[in-house]
Amino acid sequence: MRIAICFALFPLLLMAQTGSETDEHAIRVVMDRFMDAWNHHDAEAFAALFSQGADFTNVRGMGATGRAKIEAFHAPVFATIFSKSHQEYTDIKTRFLRPDVAAVDVRWKMTGAMDPQGNLRDRNGLLNFVMEKNAGGWEIAVMHNLDLSAPPPPPK
């Protein structure tokens, strides 16, 4: 009897695994769009990846709540300190908390960011997301950004 139940459930296990692989791919597509929006310095496209009520926190602990405020937060920095920046991810780790909720860690590296003195420098860090799946697909509900770069040398 137990063997029959195991064989009966096996196709369901395969379907669940396939669904997770499909969702993991969809999350990677969101991350590709995230990097593309960043690299085009497009605050509107960047914010569109977030849910309407999303929370965003940057590496300095400053943040914004809601898609419109996330866009408004990024527009000036895309025009100034990140205007020459290029960001890419080096690794993505996804953990599904539920079929419609995922914790996603994205390791990133960036070139062309300006420090407070206007010098370009390379950076690297970790983006931590909570993502939700809804009828339109996966969206960012919460994002925290960590800069793991060595601090720049003090001014002379």
Side-chain angles (χ1 to χ4, degrees):
M1 178 71 163
R2 288 185 192 171
I3 293 173
I5 292 172
C6 288
F7 281 117
L9 292 176
F10 187 70
L12 295 175
L13 293 172
L14 288 177
M15 285 173 44
Q17 183 180 17
T18 303
S20 293
E21 289 171 6
T22 301
D23 287 328
E24 195 162 340
H25 174 74
I27 288 169
R28 283 185 176 272
V29 169
V30 172
M31 292 301 102
D32 290 342
R33 291 174 54 210
F34 181 96
M35 294 300 168
D36 187 59
W38 183 278
N39 293 331
H40 285 96
H41 313 108
D42 185 339
E44 183 179 359
F46 182 84
L49 301 169
F50 291 79
S51 64
Q52 284 295 341
D55 289 312
F56 162 83
T57 305
N58 74 2
V59 298
R60 300 199 188 284
M62 300 182 322
T65 297
R67 188 181 290 159
K69 289 183 180 177
I70 292 169
E71 180 179 346
F73 185 96
H74 283 85
V77 295
F78 281 159
T80 56
I81 63 172
F82 295 122
S83 65
K84 297 176 183 171
S85 68
H86 178 85
Q87 186 178 42
E88 61 187 60
Y89 60 81
T90 59
D91 187 44
I92 297 177
K93 178 183 167 191
T94 302
R95 178 175 177 223
F96 291 95
L97 305 175
R98 295 188 327 225
D100 62 338
V101 177
V104 183
D105 286 341
V106 178
R107 298 246 173 217
W108 57 267
K109 64 181 181 178
M110 181 186 298
T111 58
M114 283 188 235
D115 67 15
Q117 291 76 36
N119 301 308
L120 298 180
R121 68 182 195 100
D122 295 345
R123 298 171 52 188
N124 64 78
L126 175 70
L127 298 167
N128 179 257
F129 299 97
V130 175
M131 297 183 70
E132 296 176 315
K133 184 179 181 181
N134 59 38
W138 286 93
E139 292 181 318
I140 301 165
V142 178
M143 177 190 152
H144 293 138
N145 192 0
L146 294 96
D147 189 340
L148 304 176
S149 309
K156 295 179 183 181

